[in-house]
Amino acid sequence: MTSAEPPARPARVTGPCRVVRADRGALLVVPADDLGAAPVRVGLDRDGLVPLDASRVPPTVGDLVEVEQPDDRTPAHVARLHPRRTALVRDSAGRTSLPQVLAANVDVVLVVEHLDPDPDLGRVERLLTLAWRSGATPVVVLTKADLVPDPAGMAADVAGVALGVDVHAVGVPTGYGLEPLRALLGPGVALVAVGPSGAGKSTLVNALAGREVMATGERRGDGRGRHTTTHRELVPLAGGAVLVDTPGIRGVGLVADADALDATFADVAALAARCRFRDCAHRAEPGCAVREALESGALDARRYDSWRRLAKEAAWQARRSDARLAAEERARWRRATREYHRDVRTRP
Ligand SMILES: Nc1nc2c(ncn2[C@@H]2O[C@H](COP(=O)(O)OP(=O)(O)O)[C@@H](O)[C@H]2O)c(=O)[nH]1
Ligand SMILES: [Mg+2]
Ligand SMILES: [Zn+2]
């Protein structure tokens, strides 16, 4: 570089931008019409929240934000959030904490599960329910197909619990099954990969990107990886698509949604609709179609248990969220009363 060249100034972005990464206090964004551009850091308000309609919400990866910068001396700043087209939400563990939006505005949720060790069907059902609720299209990806003798047979078994969902088996080292996944990657398509740590999400992302964009776990004897992805990040893939890689999230809580559960468990929902009583609890009621199917073997006991467990969890989450809303309402009322008394006192 010669002394005549002007000092490098960070790139400037304004207008609609996609959030590539959301950290405390700042966002990395790219222009919405140039997702392959180098990400630029933009500041947030002190509370870390962004205006959306009448409220303020924490921004997340995949969000579309409006970035403003009045002049070169003022740092770029996030002015507001565009409404989310889709949102992948998990319930958070704390009693008072809010559900967390893992990714916004994605078109496809890749539910990633390994074939070796054996896939955990209950986990696939849980993540599918989360995916259905997001408004995006779920797709199941079974990794490490190169390590098992009959990946197609195993994929067929998983397809039996992933009703209405495409199931792909892939083996990255051999390239097995990657072509059908590449077909999903049209220009502007946004995907998110969820699944347990070590399932091979980052390895898959790298294969679909055609280069090392994410660090992956070293191979250990037991076929499991180490935690290497530490944050959620939107990365450009081949073909103009973008994908959010996620760290293996422990204990992905369900956010109550009867429609999402019915989508995942369409078979059980269809049976339940045939029970004699509309409020049938499927225990000892006469004319219970669910119990009849269980007894005849038409409904698998594992599938039934999984459905019950997730339905119970969703109901619990709904009660907890109602309790939180009620507490917020009481706090608002207390504040309003306090302000009213203060106004009365200070009135001339
Ligand atoms: N044989 C084989 N190993 C894989 C495959 N995908 C991932 N792995 C290995 O599994 C480990 C975990 O992969 P990683 O992508 O870090 O998993 P993540 O935690 O889901 O992101 C690494 O050692 C990978 O090399 C695959 O398709 N076949
Ligand atoms: Mg990873
Ligand atoms: Zn019943």
Side-chain angles (χ1 to χ4, degrees), residues 201-202 215-216 228-229 245-247:
K201 296 179 293 300
S202 299
T216 60
T228 38
T229 310
D245 192 9
T246 62

Side-chain angles (χ1 to χ4, degrees), residues 113 119-126 157-158 161 300 302 306:
E113 178 70 23
D120 178 337
L121 299 181
R123 180 161 56 206
V124 170
E125 288 162 335
R126 166 180 297 270
D157 289 345
V158 175
V161 308
D300 177 40
R302 187 213 60 80
S306 176

